[in-house]
Structure formats: C-alpha cells, structure tokens
C-alpha cells in the first residue's frame, strides 16, 4: 500500500470543506460525543460521597439522599445556565469565551487554562479508571495496565481523527448500553423498593455496614458534598462545541444537554435513593473486600446473573471512553485560543476529516505522557482534576451573571438568580476542594494554571510583536533595475556543479565561482581546467566571464571563509541582491543523505542568520536516477 | 563566556594546518599515546593464563614459565613483523592496509572491521576494568560504577579532541608511573629470588594453593596459552598511526614499538618467573578471598606499605586509560576507510586540533552506548574482544608473508619465516579462542564482523554509483538567454511579502503571486487591494505587471495546490527556470520559530523532491529586530 492509501485506510479520505454539513451531528450522536464524561460521573460521584460518609456508618446513608438532592439542584442550576450560554454563544462558549467576554481577557485565560488542564487530566484519569475497573475484574490483565491504557488512548485518538460523526457512531453503543442497563437496574430497584414499602429484599445482600466511628459534623458533610460534586464534571462540554451540531444548531445542542443532564440527574437520584433503601455504604478502597457501590447495588437489585455482568461491562466501557469528551472539546478550545493568538495558528487548521487534528494529537501526546509517567495508575491525579473543573464552572457562571446584568432589560430576573446561585455553589465547592485536597496534590493545579496563563500571554505578546514589525499598508516601492550578483559554492567539476553554474549564468552577468580549499578536499583546483571548461565556452557564447575565487583555509574551516567572502561582497555592493547558489544532490532515499556531508544545509542556515536581507540562497537540485 | 571561548577553553584554540609538525610526537609521548593498551596487558595476561591453570594447582605454576616463554617468543615475532610493516607502510599500515595491499580488498575490509570492533570494545572493556579494580579497592564507590566509567570516557574524549600531543602529555604520568613501580617490583623480586637460590621469602605470603583437581592435558595448556595471548593485544597500534610521529617518522615509530614491546616482554617474563618462584597462583574470580595475581605478587615482594598502594594505583590508572590507544587509532582507521570511500568523507576531515574529531566522537558514542547497556560491567564483552584482535593479527601477518613473497629478491628469507610463524601461531590462537569461547559470546563477533564488512561494501557501492552519475569532463554548455519565471508564495500583504515580491520583480519580468486560500486563512484576499498596492505602482514604474493567482483549496491543503501549480507552470515552460520565492521570517531566537508554522521549510522540501531540476527555491529572509 502506498503512504496515501494507508492514511486513507487509517483516518478516512479527505473531506471537502463544502461538505461540512454532512459531517455535523444531532442529539443522538451528541450524547456519546459530548456526554460520556458527564454520564460516567454517575459511576463515581455517589461512590466518592459515600466513601467520605463511611465513618458515619448507617447514619451516613440517611444523609446521602438530601446531599444528592442538593447536588442535583445545583446540577439543574448549571444546566439552565449552560442552556442559556449555548443560546448566547452559538459559536461555542466554554468558560474561556464567557469569562473573556464578560469578565475580561485575563479571566478568560484562567478559564481556558483550567479547562485545558482538565481535559488532559480527564483523558488520563478516565482511561486509567476504566482500565482499573477492568483489571480488578480480570486480575491476570494487571501487568498490562499501562499497555491497555495506551491502546485505549490510541483507539480514541484514531477514532477522533476520523471525524466527529465517526466518534459519535463508535461510542453510541457503549453509551446507550450504559444508559439502558443501569437505567433498567435503577427502575427495577425503585419499583421493588416502593412495592416493599421502602424495605426491599436484596437479591445479593451488600456487606453489613461497619460501626460508626465518628459523629455527624458540618465539615464531614461539606467534604462529602464536595466529593459528590465531581458528578457534575463534564456538563459544560456541550456549550464548548456548539458548532459541531447540525441545523438548528442551538436547538440540537440544547437538546443534547437536556438529554445528558436528565439521564445524569435520574441516575444520581436513583442511585442515592437505592443506596439508602438497600443499605449500601461504600467499602474502603484498597482494602480486602473492596467492592464498588454500583457493583453492590446492581447485585442487590438483579443478582449476579448475566445482566449483572452486562451492566458492569457497560460501566467499565463508559469509564474508559469518558475521555472522548475531552477529545471533542480540547481541540476546539485550542482552536479558539489559536484564533485569539494565544496558541500557534496551526491549531485553528482543520485536518483531513474537518476536525482540528493538531489539538487531538497534542491531547494524545500530553495524556500519553501522564499515563506513562504514572504507569497507568492515575489516582494521584484526581485531586488536581477537581480544581480545574470548578474554577471553570465558577468563572463561567460568574461571567453569565455579568452577562445578565448587561442585558437585564430583555431577560427575566430569575436567569441571573440561577447563575448567581450556581456561581456561589460552585465557588464554595472550589474553595472546599482546594482547601481539603491542597496537600494531596491540588497545589499542583493551583501552580500550573497561572503558569499556563503566563505561557498564553507570552505567546500572544510574541505574535503581536511580530505582527507590529511586519505590518504595512504601504504600496510596493519600485525595485532598482540592477540584476543580482550570483555566487556559486563550487566543489570539483561535475554535473551537479555544472547545473548550478548554468543557473547562475542565466540569472546574472556577475557570477563568482567560489571554491574553499581545506586540506582535506581531494577535489582538484578548479583553476586547473578553468580555461577549457568554463572560460572558453563563455567567450564563445558571448556572455560575461564568471570570476573564479579560490579561498584558502589553513584552519580547515569551510563556512567562515565563505561567509566572510559573501559579507564583504554584500558590503561592497550595498544596492544589489546577492544570490548564493548551492548545488544540491537529491537522493532517492532519505537515508542516503546520511552518507553525504550536509554542508549545503549548514551553509544556508548560517547565511540566513548572519547576512543582510539582500542575500538569498538558492539550492539548485540535481536529481540522481 | 561566548560559545567560541567555551569551545576554546574546553578543546583548545584552532591549530593551523601549517603548524602540523609542531603537533607531532616522539617516542617519549608515543608510549603513553599508543602503548597503554599493550602495557596494560601485563596486568591481565598472566592473570588470565594462571586462572586457567588453577585446577592444576602447584603443577600449573611450573607450566607458567614455559607458556610465557612461548608467548614472549610470539610477541617478538609480532614485533619484528610490525617493525617491518612500519617501514613498508609509513603512511600508516594497520591490518586493513596490509591485508588490502597484499591479500585483496575483501580481506582488507575484514581486517578493518575486526579492528574497528576491537577498538570500540577495548574502550568499554578497558575503562570498565579500571573502574572495576578501583571499586573493588574502595567498595563504597560501587553504586557509582557507571558514572565513573562515563566520567573517564568523557575525560579521554576531551583530552584526545585537544590533540595527540596533549593526550601524550596527560597520560605520560600514569604510564611511566606504572612502568617504574611495577618494573621496580619485578627487579627487586628477581634479585631477592636469585639471591635466595630460587626460594625467596615473601614479605606477605600469598594464600596457599588449593589441591589439584585435574591432571595436565593438552587442551588445558592450549586454553591457558590462548588466554595468556591476550597479553599481545595492542601491539599493532603503532603501525596504524605512523604519521603522528615527527621526523624521522619511521625511526620514531619503530623506537616507540621497541620500547613498548621491550617493557611488555620484560614485565611478562618477570611476572611469570616471580609467580613460580613465590608460588603465586590465581584465586577464583568472584569468590570470597579473590585477589589479583599482581596484588599478591607486589605484596610478596615489597609488603603492604606505601609502595604497594602506589603500584596498585598505577595499575588501576593504566587499566582505566588503556582505552587511550583506541582513541589514537580508531579515528585513523576511520580516516583510511573514508579515503577509500567505505565511510563518509567527513571522517577524513581533521578538526580544530588536527585530530580526526568525527572518529573520536563516534568512538566515544559507541563505547558509551556499550557501557550504558552493560551498566559499566563489561566482563561479558571480553570473549568478543579476542576474536577481533587475533583476526586482525592473522590477516596482518599473512599479508606480510605475501608481501615478502613478492619482494623476495631484496629481503632475507628469515623475514618471511618470522611472519609465517607469527601468522600460524596467531591463526591457531584465533581458532582456539573462537572454539573455546564461541558459546560465551565470541559468536557475536563472528556475526558482527561480516555485517560490518557488508556495511562498508554497501557504502562504497553508493559512493561509486553517485560518482558515476555526476562525473563529467564536458565543458560548460551555454545557457539559453531567457530569464527565469518567478513564483511568489504569498500570504497577506506585509513587509515580509513585500520584500519577497521586490526580489521577484528584480529577478524576472514574469512574476506570479500565488495565494492558496484554505478556509482557515484569516488573511484577506490579495485581490482586494491589488490595484492600489501592486498594479498601480508597477505601472508607474514601467515594469511588467505581476500576475495574481488565487488557488482555492476545498480540502484545506496548502502544499498540493501550490505544487500542482508549479508543476503545470514548469511543463508549460519547458525551457525556462522557475524560481519559487518563499518569504521567510528570521527570528532572533530558535525557540520562537516553534510558534510559526514551518510551511516554508516543508514547501522547499516538497518542491526539491517532486519538481524537475529547473525549479529552484529561494527563501527571502526578513529579519525581525
């Protein structure tokens, strides 16, 4: 297969810009593309909260329902906020855009940096959580943890490079499998629970709750609440990627968000209710007898049959592929930052399948490095994760509050109130998370986010400085009529040198043939046969004689004598262009060029940096058979 | 410090080719430069033979003197052979040259490959043996074994890059320290032994010999002989490097060789005699109570005083620096191979200090890789080592036999006989070593040497093919008078584009300004202000109008539309040069170029490979402040 057909096979054929509409998606594909992160939260949010309530034993269980109610209420605030954000920013309005437009560019960069960090962490943490669940089910896969992580990363990267629609199709199966199986368990559990008057009989009883070791206090409830709030991460994904939806774009995006939040809220509420009804608490992670809350819950409701394993498999798949949301959003964030010149412009270039390929590749490389550095076990990265998510939430909601204050006349006041409540709640959560997890690693995020902001600012400063230096609206000034002076870098007399000299003679009446004689040149002096080979034919054709210059080099240097000659020639002829002609042998295979000294390439680099703008370099290619 | 002054400080100032004579050496510096490998053999040759005689106990000791006598006899054969080789090949006559001239090029390549492999192994094994002796004396250095090895490698590399004379001066101290201290021990021992009628009283008695576990047999004696023969490695070093000596060159080289062989023979004979007289056998390496033969011998003769530690320190230094011989010879071998076009020509280029810097660096890199791969403990490489050494010896001596047969009329017949005996002895040793150490690793050498020969042959074939394709003795044909067509790769209108366009207009009356419109270009269409910015000024200056070409790119490709345009232009104008002008922004720092898409560099590469030879690329540099 040729290189092109391999690329076509792996990533799909190039798609024309004109066919963009055919590659946009609707809500059905939107949920797998943008909802996997949020939906997978149902698998770990309740677990995280219950783990913190563990010291309270059965009493803790009675708090899980009200805590979940508060979380779902905030989730609905966030939902209404982002619904409105989507309508207000149909070009894609993540925290970066909303904060920039409403709070100022510096806040926007903080939002962008927080999101960028989170998307990278989400890929590493999501994949490693899925693989972790898989290897705990099949312990003989344990030695291959890192390999499995990288394989999943590769699959995600390739599927996303193939396009948005393709990634929606591929991940539809695990996503809806998860929603249907876990949804069925929740419905069955609730029905049984209600039918039994609130005290259902578990099919497989969960382990007995340990004795309480701590009294209820505000701090423990607050921390449980903060941990449970991780269930909300990923909700903002849709608002960032509005343009991937087909017409009516805003409506499609809002429907997708509605579907994601509705499913998530139902699952969260159902799980909390069932945990209380069946008496299921968390077990100590890393201890013998550890079992996830969802595993106990599914076992209690439907027993350990085929359906149990189907549900657990769907949960594992959704965890592993929850990174897909980052793959949809991170490249779009990079694109917006690139358009605003905070990142190199190539991040705004759509690749062969209309996705921002460079952003996808950068995300794959960064998260791959994290996975390798942590050996595929990224638990220690989770505390880093929450800071970014809640900083982005808070900035976005605060931005929306400001937005409503500006457009107050046209909007009902409850819109502002919803966002204000959301901003307050997520802001408090941010502070709680930062304080309680600071020593566990959240300090890394606190340090990295400002550094990223600084990097963005420096990049922007560079681009603005370059633009200021090269911008002009002046019309062309007219060039002087003189032809350039040509300088040929010559070795021995061969077809390659001849080809270069012919080009130089066609270009200019003033040609210098320059040979640097270092001791190791076994090449003969060009002066030996100068008359015969060059001077006489030039005379016969009535063209001006080229001038031979032999530069001695007692210190066996090649570049310095040549550079000095060109610099002198340039200062002696301050009004003329100087074209340095370097004969260049083109090999058939790249590895053959290892065997040839790359003086030409070095010479070009040195002349480019050291000579004035009037000196240009031409390589005259001579192709071998 | 500037980059230049750092280089000057580390490697010394550049030396002019004209001052070459001042940097040649005489015999006094020749012994440290070329003799360290051979002299260090005295430290491990007898030990290797005695280790194999270990199962014979005291009876083995009675064989060490006759075995050593045979080895010294062969050493003298080899000595006379190389004395004559030096006279016959004053340009440097290692195994490669002698075998090539007398047996044919293929044999020469085998000799060259064997030597090249050995020089690399010698560096790794020598340094690691020295560091091994050091850390066994100071066990707390053990964790730093690899670091010490690499530090010594760095010192050897830098000293050798500073020049031949510098390396002679630096290593004179440990070399003559070793000769004086160990020589004094041998002389004192022999005097005491003779004075006591052959039964001297040891100051520190060596450990008692174990009971014999094996009877004498031809196989064990042959293997002991083969191991003892490693004492001869490094003897050919002088013949390879004759041109480093000052006038009278041949005489200086021969004197150096004489000094090295005389010292080596005296040490070998003395050590063998004393081992027998004092009853010193080898101890089992790696076992508790292991002590080197030389350590026991020095202790027996002078006791464990200051002089003991001085002598042992000198032995350790000579082992560690024995690699210096490779640093003197390997670059010269690479140079000869490069001159014959079996390696890239840059190996024949002398660096700032008149040494072949590329060969030195290649040797440092290859042996550094070996040291790192084996963690600084290279015992397992020793069996690889012997094959190359004795293959080179055998080829060299067989070549000299052929040499004498050709010039028989002018030379006494014993010259041929000496070489024939040497060739036979080293040939037998080669077979014995290959057979007895095959499974231990000698098979690697047996496999690697032919592969190296194949590589050399392939490189040579490539160079000959290129030379045949470009060589010409035809005079210049006259170029057609037409000026080139210029094609400007344009983005938006700025000073950089303007600079490129001005160059193009000075070059040619036919200028195409080509703009590729991919969707992501935020740059405005050049046609918007074409009249104002370009067409009107051109008209006013009475120069031909440049033509604007806007290429649409529905697949967001930049290079393909541009390449297709140039290819079409080239086939429409089969007689004219096409100069593609690419405006080029020159940054002040290399890292800034990361932030700019490197379309220019890619475009140049693509055009160079895909277009006919008439199409050349010019980058017009625009310098930022």
């Amino acid at each position: 297969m040729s290189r092109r057909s391999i690329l076509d096979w792996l990533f799909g054929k190039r798609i024309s810009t004109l066919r963009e509409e055919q590659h946009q998606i609707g809500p059905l594909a939107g949920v797998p593309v943008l909802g996997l992160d949020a939906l997978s939260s149902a698998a770990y949010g309740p677990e995280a909260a219950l783990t913190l309530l563990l010291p309270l034993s059965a009493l803790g269980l009675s708090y899980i329902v009200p805590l979940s109610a508060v979380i779902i209420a905030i989730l609905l605030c966030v939902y209404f906020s982002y619904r409105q954000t989507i309508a207000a920013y149909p070009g894609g309005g993540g925290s970066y855009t909303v904060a920039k437009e409403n709070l100022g560019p510096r806040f926007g960069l903080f939002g962008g940096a927080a999101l960028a960090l989170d998307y990278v962490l989400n890929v590493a943490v999501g994949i490693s959580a899925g693989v972790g669940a898989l290897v705990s089910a099949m312990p003989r896969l344990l030695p291959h943890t890192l390999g499995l992580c990288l394989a999943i990363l590769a699959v995600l990267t390739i599927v996303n490079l193939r396009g948005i629609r393709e990634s929606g199709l591929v991940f539809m199966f695990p996503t809806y499998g998860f929603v249907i199986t876990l949804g069925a368990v929740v419905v069955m559990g609730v029905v049984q629970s209600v039918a039994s008057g609130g005290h259902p009989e578990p099919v497989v009883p969960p382990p007995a709750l340990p004795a309480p070791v701590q009294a209820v206090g505000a701090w423990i409830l607050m921390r449980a609440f903060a941990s449970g709030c991780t269930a909300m991460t990923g909700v903002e994904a849709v608002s960032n990627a509005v343009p991937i939806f087909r017409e009516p774009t805003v409506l499609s995006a809002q429907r997708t968000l509605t579907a994601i939040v509705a499913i998530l809220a139902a699952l969260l509420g159902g799980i909390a209710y069932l945990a209380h009804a069946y008496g299921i608490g968390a077990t100590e992670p890393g201890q013998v007898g550890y079992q996830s809350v969802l595993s106990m819950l599914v076992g209690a409701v439907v027993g350990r049959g085929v359906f149990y394993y189907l549900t657990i498999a769907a949960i594992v798949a959704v965890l592993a592929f929850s990174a897909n949301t980052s793959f949809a959003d991170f490249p779009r964030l990079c694109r917006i930052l690139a358009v605003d010149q905070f990142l190199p412009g190539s991040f705004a270039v759509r690749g062969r399948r209309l996705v921002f390929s460079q952003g996808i590749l950068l995300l794959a490389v960064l998260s791959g490095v994290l996975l390798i550095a942590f050996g595929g076990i990224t638990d220690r990265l989770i505390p880093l994760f929450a800071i970014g998510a809640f900083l982005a939430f808070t900035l976005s909601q605060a931005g929306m509050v400001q937005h409503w204050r500006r457009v107050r006349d046209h909007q009902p006041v409850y819109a502002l109130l919803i966002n204000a409540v959301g901003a307050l709640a997520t802001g408090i959560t941010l502070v709680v998370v930062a304080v309680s997890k600071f020593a566990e690693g959240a300090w890394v995020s606190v340090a990295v986010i400002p550094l990223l902001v600084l990097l963005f600012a420096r990049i922007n400063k560079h681009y603005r400085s370059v633009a200021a230096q090269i911008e002009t609206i002046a019309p062309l000034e007219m060039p002087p009529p003189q032809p350039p002076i040509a300088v040929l870098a010559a070795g021995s007399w061969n077809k390659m040198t001849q080809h270069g000299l012919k080009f130089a003679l066609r270009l200019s009446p003033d040609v210098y043939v320059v040979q640097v004689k270092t001791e190791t040149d076994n090449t003969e002096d060009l002066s030996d046969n100068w008359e015969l080979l060059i001077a006489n034919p030039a005379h016969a054709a009535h063209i001006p004689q080229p001038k031979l210059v032999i530069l001695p080099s007692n210190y066996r240097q090649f570049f310095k004598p040549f550079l000095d000659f060109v610099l002198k020639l340039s200062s002696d002829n301050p009004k003329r262009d100087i074209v340095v002609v370097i004969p260049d042998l083109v090999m058939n295979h790249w590895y053959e060029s290892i065997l040839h000294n790359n003086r030409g390439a070095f010479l070009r680099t040195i002349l480019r940096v050291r000579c004035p703008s009037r000196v240009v370099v031409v390589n005259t290619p001579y192709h071998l058979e």
Side-chain angles (χ1 to χ4, degrees), chain A:
Chain A
M1 280 207 288
S2 72
R3 185 177 146 275
R4 173 161 299 175
S5 60
I6 290 174
L7 286 176
D8 280 352
W9 176 80
L10 201 59
F11 301 114
K13 287 192 190 302
R14 278 191 171 269
I15 301 172
S16 164
T17 312
L18 307 175
R19 308 185 69 181
E20 179 165 12
E21 282 175 29
Q22 296 171 26
H23 292 269
Q24 290 174 323
I25 60 175
L28 192 70
V31 173
V33 168
L34 297 170
L36 271 166
D37 183 11
L39 293 182
S40 69
S41 310
Y44 57 78
E47 168 111 23
L50 283 169
T51 303
L52 276 163
L53 293 175
L54 201 53
L56 306 183
S57 186
L59 189 61
L61 278 189
S62 64
Y63 283 102
I64 189 68
V65 175
L67 274 181
S68 295
V70 175
I71 290 169
I72 292 170
I74 297 175
L75 177 62
L76 293 180
C77 279
V78 172
Y79 162 69
F80 284 111
S81 162
Y82 277 121
R83 238 186 106 86
Q84 289 159 333
T85 309
I86 290 168
Y89 298 97
S95 292
Y96 169 70
T97 311
V98 176
K100 185 186 77 171
E101 301 278 318
N102 298 298
L103 305 176
R106 196 40 68 105
F107 285 96
L109 285 186
F110 269 93
L115 277 181
L117 178 65
D118 251 37
Y119 287 140
V120 175
L121 290 170
N122 180 39
V123 173
V125 170
I127 291 176
S128 114
V131 170
L134 183 66
V135 301
S136 77
M138 299 192 219
R140 76 205 146 82
L141 290 177
L142 195 63
H144 306 293
T145 300
L146 180 59
L148 286 167
C149 287
L150 295 179
I152 291 174
L153 180 62
V155 168
L156 282 166
T157 306
I158 290 173
V159 167
N160 278 282
L161 284 173
R162 289 183 69 99
I164 286 286
R165 208 176 48 161
E166 281 66 16
S167 110
L169 288 173
V170 168
F171 297 116
M172 215 177 260
F173 188 72
T175 308
Y176 291 114
F178 169 82
V179 171
I180 291 167
T181 53
L182 193 58
V185 169
V186 167
V187 168
M188 278 191 278
V190 171
V191 167
Q192 282 170 22
S193 181
V194 170
S196 64
H199 297 287
E201 192 63 38
V203 182
V204 176
L209 293 168
V213 295
Q214 199 177 326
V216 180
W219 177 239
I220 195 168
L221 290 180
M222 196 172 257
R223 285 181 68 213
F225 161 76
S227 285
C229 274
T230 57
M232 277 193 286
T233 60
V235 171
E236 85 139 48
V238 176
S239 69
N240 221 342
V242 181
I244 70 174
F245 289 98
R246 77 167 72 96
E247 292 282 352
T249 306
V250 167
L251 215 58
S252 296
Q254 286 178 331
R255 280 179 188 155
T256 305
L257 181 63
T258 306
I260 293 169
V261 170
I263 297 169
L264 178 57
L267 290 177
L268 287 177
I271 291 167
Y273 171 75
L274 293 177
H276 182 232
Y278 283 90
I280 296 168
T283 50
E284 197 68 61
Q287 303 286 316
V288 178
Y290 168 74
Q291 199 184 343
S292 73
V293 168
L294 280 190
S295 168
M296 289 185 276
L297 194 146
V298 177
V301 175
V302 298
R304 297 245 167 170
V306 173
F307 195 72
Y308 169 85
Y309 290 101
L310 215 61
T311 309
I312 298 297
I315 293 170
V316 167
V318 161
L319 280 172
F321 295 133
S322 65
N324 196 47
T325 305
S326 290
F327 275 98
D329 269 8
F330 180 82
R332 304 209 140 253
L333 175 64
C334 290
R335 183 208 151 241
I336 299 178
L337 288 169
V339 167
D340 289 351
Q341 301 206 304
F342 291 106
L343 281 179
S346 50
F347 283 103
V349 177
R350 290 195 285 180
R352 54 166 50 218
R353 302 288 286 180
L354 287 168
V355 290
F356 299 98
S357 309
Q358 282 220 15
I360 292 177
L361 292 172
L362 179 66
L363 179 64
V365 167
L366 292 177
S367 53
V369 166
L370 278 182
L371 282 171
I372 291 169
F374 286 83
I377 298 161
T378 54
D379 294 354
R380 278 192 287 160
L381 294 179
I382 293 176
L384 278 71
F385 192 41
I387 297 281
F390 284 96
L391 179 55
F393 273 140
T394 309
L395 284 171
S396 169
Q397 305 235 18
M400 287 306 288
V401 170
Q402 190 65 20
H403 175 78
W404 297 136
R405 286 178 60 185
R406 289 193 314 190
V407 298
R408 188 180 290 178
D409 297 343
H410 317 294
Q411 293 287 336
V413 73
Y414 67 81
L416 189 150
L417 274 180
I418 288 174
N419 284 127
V421 170
L424 198 67
T426 53
I428 290 170
T429 311
L430 174 64
V431 172
V432 171
V433 170
V435 169
S436 66
K437 312 249 169 178
F438 192 82
E440 283 174 55
W443 64 270
V444 177
S445 296
V446 174
V448 165
I449 291 172
L451 286 177
L452 275 176
V453 170
L454 204 66
L455 177 69
F456 294 148
R458 289 293 292 271
I459 289 173
N460 186 251
K461 191 178 162 203
H462 169 82
Y463 283 127
R464 279 186 289 121
S465 150
V466 169
Q469 286 183 60
I470 69 171
E471 81 179 348
T472 180
I473 49 161
L476 192 66
E477 301 157 44
M478 274 311 100
Q482 278 187 296
I485 299 171
V487 177
L488 178 74
S492 57
W493 184 246
N494 55 38
K495 289 179 186 163
M496 186 175 81
T497 311
Q498 208 176 38
H499 178 67
L501 180 57
K502 278 152 75 175
F503 177 82
L505 288 171
R506 284 194 294 265
L507 201 67
S508 164
D510 296 305
V511 175
Y512 291 86
V513 177
V514 177
Q515 195 179 23
V516 179
K517 294 293 285 181
T518 67
E519 52 139 12
T520 48
D521 278 326
N522 295 321
T523 54
E524 78 280 25
D525 226 305
L526 277 181
S527 56
D528 295 350
N529 296 301
W530 182 256
E531 293 295 318
L532 174 71
L533 294 175
I534 295 148
N536 295 347
H539 185 74
H542 307 291
I543 58 170
Q545 288 285 332
K547 299 164 202 67
L548 178 64
V549 178
I550 307 249
L551 300 173
S553 174
N554 286 338
Y555 290 86
R556 303 167 302 286
Q557 289 170 303
F558 174 81
F559 302 112
K560 195 171 179 306
F562 198 96
L563 175 67
D564 289 345
F565 175 80
V566 172
L567 284 175
K568 173 128 193 342
L569 194 65
S570 150
S571 64
D572 289 350
N573 298 275
K575 296 280 178 193
R576 295 181 67 184
D577 289 329
I578 295 181
V579 178
V580 178
V581 178
I582 304 176
D584 176 25
L585 205 55
V586 182
M587 307 282 155
N588 294 310
H589 305 103
W590 63 265
Y591 51 79
E592 291 174 315
S593 62
I594 300 168
L595 296 176
H596 294 265
N597 61 36
N598 294 301
R599 275 186 183 170
F602 277 114
L603 186 57
R604 188 177 55 221
T605 306
I606 290 168
L607 293 172
R608 172 180 184 264
V609 175
R610 301 284 298 278
C611 290
S613 294
R614 284 178 299 115
V615 177
V616 302
V617 177
V618 175
N619 287 93
T620 50
Y622 185 82
H623 292 260
L624 292 179
E625 286 152 25

